[in-house]
Amino acid sequence: MLANAHAYLLEIERAGREFAESVKFAARLGQQRPHVIALMGCDTRLDLGDADGALTDIETALDIIECTGIQRFEPWCLVFKARILDARGQCGEALALAKRAVEICRDTGVTFLGPMALGSYALLCRKEDEHLAAFEEAEALLARGCVSHDYLYFCRDAMEASLAASEWDEAERFAAALEDYAREEPMPWSDYYIAWGCALAAWGRGDGSAEDDLRRLLEQARKVRLGMAVPALERALADA
């Protein structure tokens, strides 16, 4: 949890070290549930650019989950494994994993990871009707009340999915939803992604004045090593 807190403060390298220490400590103690939770820092390893290490952690976590039956953590692992495979061009396998993550959430308690899994599915499916249906289902769940990471990760992935589909208004709507959710307790992670979504939407709409914001956000992402924010910014600026 300390590592998670540092990740949300955009202290990504520190978070990565703390997740790694937690993995070793939990494994040495033979505590399987804490071991899986520590391995769920795989997204921080992705931000740090270590996709191979993240995939190793994910596979280790999935092995423990299979042996122990603590299936409610499985969707988290599947979501980030799907992102890795998608980035490597294994799009069909990635989408199948994202869909499986959603199905497991429906079986194990959809308010724990359901909206997050639906956001990932929307990002990877690249079909307008399917990603809009995923948005609708996730937003209905969030309105009923879910765990905090669902609001954060869903809004981020929904922004990215909307941007990829050139749905600039939708991207801004999800940025506004993230801002509203984090209003009482804002943090660097949410502040960054709110600005990220709005700047990319403005640029996509043809607002040339957003270029400075994109360059500033790219510089910041590289500095703090928020790697998952970088590709969309690089793609946008390639057209500058």
Side-chain angles (χ1 to χ4, degrees):
M1 295 304 102
L2 181 63
N4 272 322
H6 284 128
Y8 288 132
L9 291 171
L10 295 188
E11 298 173 7
I12 309 298
E13 290 185 336
R14 182 173 181 179
R17 291 193 299 271
E18 289 167 346
F19 274 121
E21 290 169 4
S22 299
V23 167
K24 291 177 182 177
F25 190 50
R28 188 164 67 246
L29 291 176
Q31 296 294 313
Q32 293 173 317
R33 187 183 182 94
H35 193 183
V36 169
I37 292 172
L39 289 163
M40 287 164 65
C42 56
D43 59 315
T44 298
R45 296 191 77 159
L46 284 179
D47 272 325
L48 291 169
D50 184 11
D52 288 339
L55 190 57
T56 296
D57 281 354
I58 289 166
E59 297 295 359
T60 301
L62 290 172
D63 286 344
I64 297 170
I65 289 166
E66 184 177 3
C67 292
T68 58
I70 47 176
Q71 197 178 23
R72 71 185 319 223
F73 297 127
E74 187 174 0
W76 182 284
C77 301
L78 295 180
V79 159
F80 289 106
K81 182 175 180 178
R83 290 189 71 120
I84 294 168
L85 296 185
D86 187 71
R88 294 178 175 179
Q90 297 170 251
C91 302
E93 187 176 351
L95 184 58
L97 289 177
K99 185 175 182 179
R100 175 64 180 149
V102 173
E103 292 169 349
I104 293 170
C105 288
R106 291 175 177 145
D107 290 339
T108 60
V110 76
T111 59
F112 181 56
L113 288 172
M116 177 187 172
L118 285 161
S120 180
Y121 179 78
L123 176 61
L124 298 179
C125 73
R126 300 183 180 91
K127 294 181 180 179
E128 184 177 3
D129 56 341
E130 291 186 25
H131 86 230
L132 291 177
F135 289 167
E136 184 177 353
E137 182 178 355
E139 289 182 279
L141 291 169
L142 292 171
R144 286 162 41 192
C146 295
V147 183
S148 59
H149 51 238
D150 281 307
Y151 296 87
L152 303 175
Y153 285 95
F154 169 73
C155 287
R156 183 192 68 179
D157 289 351
M159 278 190 281
E160 190 168 356
S162 299
L163 292 164
S166 301
E167 296 169 354
W168 319 123
D169 290 346
E170 280 289 274
E172 289 177 334
R173 183 172 72 82
F174 290 121
L178 179 56
E179 183 175 26
D180 185 61
Y181 177 74
R183 191 177 308 280
E184 292 187 12
E185 296 183 20
M187 54 189 170
W189 189 96
S190 55
D191 287 344
Y192 180 89
Y193 274 111
I194 291 161
W196 177 89
C198 289
L200 285 165
W203 180 256
R205 193 180 282 115
D207 182 357
S209 66
E211 183 176 348
D212 288 344
D213 289 333
L214 294 179
R215 295 194 182 281
R216 174 182 57 79
L217 289 163
L218 180 58
E219 181 181 1
Q220 183 183 1
R222 288 172 172 167
K223 181 178 180 180
V224 303
R225 303 196 65 186
L226 190 63
M228 283 191 281
V230 168
L233 295 168
E234 289 182 333
R235 286 192 298 269
L237 288 168
D239 297 328

